[in-house]
Amino acid sequence: MENSSHSFYFNLSIFVNIGYYRYPAFVLCLLLYGFIICANLVIVVVISCERALHESMYVFIALLSINALYGSAGFFPRFLMDILSDTHLISRPACFTQIYVIYTYAFCEVTILGVMSYDRYVAVCQPLHYHSKMTSTKVQMLAAFAWICPAFYLSVSIYGSITVPLCGNNIQKVHCAGWNVTKLACVTSAIAQIAATIAAIIVSFLPICCILYTYFRIVLVCWKSSSDFRGKVLQSCLPHIISIVIYCITSFSDTILNRYDLKDLNPFVAILVSIEFVVIPPVLNPLVYGLKLPEIRTHVVRMVSWK
């Protein structure tokens, strides 16, 4: 089956047999998944129910939490099953579905962060025009852009992967990944690889360039302003900056891991690094925004106290 280009299953080969420790590991990961669901749902519910939070910045924060719920749903249920299982086979349709969900989550994360940076730029650099520029229609268009571009790119990319014959079925990860499936291809197309690389650059690096440019302009404005103004800007932008740093570190770690032969690495280290980008942002983002932004923190505390 491993050498067949028509194998109906992939084998997630990086899993380690940890014996009876699988049960504590399962409980720990289940609790982590439960925390992700609860923390992000609280953010979404608070922002949805409180009229005072119906502003563009909070709408985009809610989008981040919705994206976290979406991405973790594509990873954790299957991962929890694999922890308790002795075999780690996944069907081709399920594998490509997981690739689509996890990587649309990853690309949507950076596009949402890019849209949020534009929102902060308008708020800091053009405060008098903020409400005229960030209208509800504009916010809806930016939110749609943040979702549609990654979804379209992943749809085209996965369609190309499905049609390519494969010479093997071993995936050296705990979840299906596009790059690992591509490495199993019997034939390689230079044109297809170049096109896929250009598309990935457009989807991922354009938002990063937008983030860098907007924060460069924000720093210039803060440089010429008073210390009180800089303090307010820092309070407003710090959670967003932390989210950007978390995303860059975790996604960069996953990208670097793809360039290594995981047989040469400690399997536990390889597993931890390979799941960082789908675990750490959904855990930390609601904490960062819930604790750092007083507007959200006040309403969360009020809701919890009422409950």
Side-chain angles (χ1 to χ4, degrees):
M1 182 175 66
E2 185 174 336
N3 295 322
S4 172
S5 63
H6 303 289
S7 171
F8 190 71
Y9 291 92
F10 291 106
N11 179 34
L12 304 175
S13 60
I14 198 177
F15 277 98
V16 179
N17 185 0
I18 55 176
Y20 290 108
Y21 289 107
R22 71 178 66 183
Y23 301 109
F26 174 84
V27 172
L28 179 62
C29 291
L30 182 61
L31 291 173
L32 184 64
Y33 184 36
F35 174 79
I36 289 173
I37 293 174
C38 293
N40 285 283
L41 273 180
V42 165
I43 296 294
V44 173
V45 170
V46 166
I47 292 174
S48 300
C49 294
E50 296 294 337
R51 279 188 169 274
L53 300 180
H54 290 180
E55 298 181 7
S56 57
M57 179 176 73
Y58 303 111
V59 170
F60 296 139
I61 291 172
L63 279 182
L64 272 184
S65 289
I66 293 171
N67 192 47
L69 293 169
Y70 168 73
S72 57
F75 169 73
F76 272 100
R78 171 72 204 193
F79 182 65
L80 291 169
M81 289 172 53
D82 280 324
I83 290 176
L84 297 179
S85 177
D86 293 322
T87 59
H88 309 291
L89 297 178
I90 181 170
S91 67
R92 285 174 65 103
C95 185
F96 283 113
T97 300
Q98 188 178 58
I99 291 172
Y100 180 83
V101 172
I102 289 178
Y103 285 94
T104 47
Y105 149 77
F107 282 115
C108 282
E109 190 84 357
V110 71
T111 52
I112 294 170
L113 290 172
V115 167
M116 291 175 73
S117 71
Y118 172 74
D119 175 75
R120 292 299 82 207
Y121 161 73
V122 177
V124 175
C125 300
Q126 303 174 6
L128 298 179
H129 302 284
Y130 181 74
H131 292 290
S132 62
K133 286 195 171 186
M134 300 303 295
T135 61
S136 59
T137 303
K138 182 75 168 288
V139 171
Q140 291 171 10
M141 290 176 59
L142 291 172
F145 169 80
W147 282 99
I148 291 172
C149 286
F152 177 76
Y153 163 68
L154 264 298
S155 298
V156 175
S157 177
I158 289 177
Y159 176 77
S161 299
I162 292 174
T163 58
V164 174
L166 305 177
C167 292
N169 74 331
N170 274 337
I171 296 178
Q172 291 184 328
K173 277 205 170 183
V174 294
H175 62 82
C176 288
W179 175 252
N180 296 77
V181 172
T182 301
K183 290 192 292 186
L184 298 175
C186 299
V187 293
T188 57
S189 171
I191 296 176
Q193 289 183 349
I194 292 172
T197 302
I198 293 173
I201 289 173
I202 292 173
V203 174
S204 58
F205 283 99
L206 280 184
I208 292 175
C209 291
C210 175
I211 291 168
L212 293 174
Y213 173 75
T214 53
Y215 271 99
F216 173 73
R217 294 292 301 272
I218 289 172
V219 169
L220 288 181
V221 171
C222 290
W223 188 268
K224 303 174 183 177
S225 304
S226 66
S227 58
D228 289 340
F229 180 81
R230 288 196 292 268
K232 291 179 181 178
V233 171
L234 181 63
Q235 183 183 25
S236 173
C237 295
L238 184 60
H240 183 236
I241 294 171
I242 294 173
S243 293
I244 294 168
V245 172
I246 292 170
Y247 175 83
C248 290
I249 291 174
T250 54
S251 59
F252 181 74
S253 300
D254 183 69
T255 303
I256 293 298
L257 189 67
N258 287 333
R259 301 297 181 262
Y260 280 90
D261 186 352
L262 299 190
K263 294 177 182 178
D264 300 331
L265 297 177
N266 182 298
F268 293 103
V269 173
I271 289 172
L272 290 175
V273 174
S274 67
I275 66 176
E276 275 183 353
F277 80 104
V278 78
V279 173
I280 294 179
V283 170
L284 294 184
N285 280 343
L287 293 177
V288 168
Y289 289 105
L291 296 176
K292 283 291 183 182
L293 292 179
E295 296 84 357
I296 294 179
R297 184 175 65 245
T298 301
H299 291 295
V300 169
V301 170
R302 185 183 302 168
M303 185 183 76
V304 173
S305 301
W306 180 81
K307 292 293 182 182

